[in-house]
Amino acid sequence: MKVLVAIDESEESFYALQWTVNELLGYSPAEEHAVSAVTLLHVYPPFQPFIYPAGPGTHLVYATPVVLHSVNKAQREKAASILSRALTICTEKNATAETLIMEGDAKDKICEMADELQVDLVVMGSRGHGAIKRALLGSVSSYCAHNLHCPVLIVKLPPGEGKPSSST
């Protein structure tokens, strides 16, 4: 069985990966159901190379190539850091995984890669946005659950394990 785990910077996605490693990788009721491959996918949004200036009579301003390069480099470094943390979770449990970094809309890229890799299961965390945020922002997990041709497992944090407070 091939499993795709969608990873972002949220604790919910890391919990989903931890759950996958603990529950799916150690469980093989029959050889055909044993997890044979885990792919960790991180998707970062494309950088919009223009700035809307404030005030009347001003024009759209485009970022310079140097700015574009710097932003792209920073996004890729952040993605590499996120996947490095995810790989650490896998290696602690002796699980091998491959990593993929893509640029684009997360819901579209997750569906695209799940189809392309012909995975048997997609695992993702649930952010638990309220109804208003979900209506305005959309839900990546809901979109994937409705549009993928394979099962989608949405893992929620257990009650009481909310996001850690940031003291930075």
Side-chain angles (χ1 to χ4, degrees), residues 36-64:
S36 61
V38 175
T39 301
L40 307 174
L41 173 63
H42 175 74
V43 182
Y44 62 89
F47 176 66
Q48 299 299 326
F50 49 84
I51 301 165
Y52 291 104
T58 56
H59 296 74
L60 195 62
V61 177
Y62 288 90
T64 65

Side-chain angles (χ1 to χ4, degrees), residues 36-163:
S36 61
V38 175
T39 301
L40 307 174
L41 173 63
H42 175 74
V43 182
Y44 62 89
F47 176 66
Q48 299 299 326
F50 49 84
I51 301 165
Y52 291 104
T58 56
H59 296 74
L60 195 62
V61 177
Y62 288 90
T64 65
V66 172
V67 171
L68 291 175
H69 176 74
S70 295
V71 169
N72 192 321
K73 182 180 175 190
Q75 286 178 316
R76 293 195 72 71
E77 286 173 356
K78 181 179 179 185
S81 172
I82 290 168
L83 289 176
S84 174
R85 180 178 168 204
L87 278 174
T88 300
I89 292 171
C90 293
T91 55
E92 285 174 353
K93 296 289 186 173
N94 296 323
T96 52
E98 70 173 351
T99 61
L100 292 171
I101 299 173
M102 299 191 76
E103 177 181 14
D105 185 21
K107 63 183 183 294
D108 293 331
K109 293 298 181 182
I110 292 168
C111 291
E112 177 184 320
M113 289 312 301
D115 288 339
E116 186 176 314
L117 297 172
Q118 297 179 351
V119 298
D120 301 301
L121 176 67
V122 172
V123 179
M124 52 185 34
S126 172
R127 290 251 177 118
H129 290 308
I132 294 173
K133 277 189 179 178
R134 192 170 43 251
L136 293 173
L137 301 175
S139 168
V140 173
S141 55
S142 177
Y143 180 89
C144 291
H146 287 94
N147 291 285
L148 278 171
H149 302 323
C150 67
V152 176
L153 176 62
I154 302 167
V155 180
K156 293 181 76 167
L157 281 172
E161 284 195 37
K163 293 183 182 180

